[in-house]
Amino acid sequence: MKISVFPTLLLIIVVVAIGYLAYDMAHSRADASKLLVGIVTGLSVLLTLGCVIGISLKNNQMNINMKAWSGVASLVMIVVNLCFAGFGVSIPYYLIVVSLLLVIHLWVIYKLI
């Protein structure tokens, strides 16, 4: 496993922008809920998109499989996070859905590696 420095720095910029977008879109009156949505969105997108941009494996076939799975998972994660932020946030449902998606993603990545 190899972590590339420059793509990872670009990834962090993209993740911060998406996290701020979710924070700004969150229709919650409590600032703590908006902050939680922004942070959780940033972390979940970092964990899914990080496998696409920042990490590469030595085995070419496993690398392609990891990047394909992580690309699909990152699109799903972005859509789910922005839907929860845009259409109203129920924090318990939001945390449950995002944590289950992350567990599924990390389990597949673990099995691929």
Side-chain angles (χ1 to χ4, degrees):
M1 184 183 315
K2 179 183 171 188
I3 298 175
S4 305
V5 176
F6 184 71
T8 304
L9 293 174
L10 294 176
L11 171 69
I12 291 172
I13 293 170
V14 169
V15 165
V16 168
I18 293 172
Y20 181 73
L21 175 66
Y23 170 79
D24 192 48
M25 285 177 61
H27 291 301
S28 175
R29 298 196 188 277
D31 286 331
S33 296
K34 288 178 75 168
L35 185 62
L36 182 67
V37 168
I39 290 172
V40 170
T41 299
L43 288 176
S44 61
V45 172
L46 177 68
L47 288 175
T48 55
L49 202 56
C51 295
V52 176
I53 296 174
I55 298 174
S56 60
L57 300 175
K58 292 180 182 176
N59 186 343
N60 196 24
Q61 183 64 32
M62 285 194 304
N63 193 29
I64 291 170
N65 290 339
M66 180 189 70
K67 290 189 183 294
W69 165 255
S70 296
V72 171
S74 63
L75 288 176
V76 169
M77 192 64 70
I78 290 171
V79 167
V80 166
N81 279 304
L82 293 181
C83 283
F84 269 105
F87 297 128
V89 176
S90 173
I91 295 299
Y93 293 140
Y94 172 71
L95 292 177
I96 290 169
V97 168
V98 170
S99 62
L100 288 176
L101 288 173
L102 278 175
V103 166
I104 292 169
H105 170 68
L106 293 175
W107 182 256
V108 171
I109 292 297
Y110 173 74
K111 286 296 184 179
L112 284 175
I113 294 176

